[in-house]
Amino acid sequence: MRARGLRNLRAVLAPVASGMCVMAATAAVLVPALGHETEPAGPAGPVRHGASAPAAPHRAPRPAATPAAAKCTARNAAESLRPSSDDGAAVSRIKEKGQLVVGVDQNTYRWGYRDPATGKLEGFDIDLVWAIARDILGPDPDVVFKAVPTAQRVPALQRHAVDMVVRTMTINCARKAQVAFSTAYFQAGQQVLAPKASKIKAFDDSLRGKRVCTAAGSTGESELRARRHGASVLTVPNQLDCLVRLQLGEADAVVTDNALAAAQAAQDPTVELKGGPFTDEPYGVAMNQDDTDLVRRVNKVLDDYRDGGSDSPWMRAYRTWLRADLPGISGPPSPEYSD
């Protein structure tokens, strides 16, 4: 075991090897310290203004593909509805209740994580949430963050437990059959993370006989189920669980988005990315399929977020959160529209 690396990881984030139960305990500890108001919502209520609570476990039935999803291909999967600032039913609903409820991660360093020094949720995804919330609700918006495990993102949207999910969620045709997406706000790719001393070279036959960890419901799991390369697959609720399993010697490698893997490597200098990305993973903001006006509104926010070249809000967030681990990115992906 890399005891030192594990201690450092726990100093940065609450470990989630036990999944949702640990996240609930984390929220319960931090909420009183921050003085945030909570309200009941199942086993653990949502928490306003920067604290977070897990969405209740639920697996909704997988619906039949919608007409838009039926036309989806790998080539046009990242297309979304054209931006609009009009208030439709979904935006009006959010304004009437006076708060935006967002599914996020609180355990992914640089993207959505709780800063131990401040107790606040921070990261690239969290900055985007605040930009969306300010556009819809004004300069001091009421935001409820719900910590949603990877496999629960779609069910949470389908039952309207959250208004949207901003959680390094890849846009693909299978998911577009179930939820709606904004245009892409980041471009990543699946990659292998393993100890520096490991003989694993990439997503290839060097994985044979190895234990490979990935998050349940992730695109990494889909890739491993399709092409194991002789590995055994271990699934966990959240990607950070895989780094803990790696440090405990319970896994030999991790398959996840390179953006997330780079953040994990930043937390533990004994691991590194192996080989190169072997998929395209455009991240989008996910919403309920019925909330088309909200999709258009988020796309309008993303247009503003990208605007400004090197001084755009997107580039400022990139320099703050991601450039140290993912250098060389010159700008966000260009939006693609279906109408």
Side-chain angles (χ1 to χ4, degrees), residues 206-256:
S206 63
L207 294 173
R208 185 171 300 281
K210 304 299 184 182
R211 300 161 298 173
V212 181
C213 185
T214 193
S218 67
T219 47
E221 182 187 17
S222 299
E223 291 294 326
L224 279 166
R225 297 300 181 194
R227 298 179 288 167
R228 292 175 180 264
H229 290 292
S232 59
V233 180
L234 167 67
T235 58
V236 293
N238 292 287
Q239 291 291 357
L240 185 62
D241 300 2
C242 283
L243 181 58
V244 175
R245 297 295 178 93
L246 199 64
Q247 292 175 319
L248 292 172
E250 297 173 359
D252 302 303
V254 176
V255 168
T256 185

Side-chain angles (χ1 to χ4, degrees), residues 268-286:
D268 185 346
T270 68
V271 301
E272 65 182 2
L273 292 164
K274 301 283 189 175
F278 55 91
T279 64
D280 290 324
E281 307 287 336
Y283 293 164
V285 177

Side-chain angles (χ1 to χ4, degrees), residues 294-306:
L294 184 58
V295 175
R296 294 185 186 276
R297 185 62 168 264
V298 169
N299 283 341
K300 180 257 185 189
V301 175
L302 285 172
D303 270 3
D304 296 340
Y305 206 64
R306 299 181 188 100

Side-chain angles (χ1 to χ4, degrees), residues 53-87:
H58 176 76
R59 285 193 178 272
R62 187 173 295 224
T66 62
K71 300 175 183 177
C72 183
T73 67
R75 185 182 296 273
N76 65 15
E79 291 181 355
S80 184
L81 300 174
R82 289 196 176 275
S84 173
S85 58
D86 293 344
D87 290 0

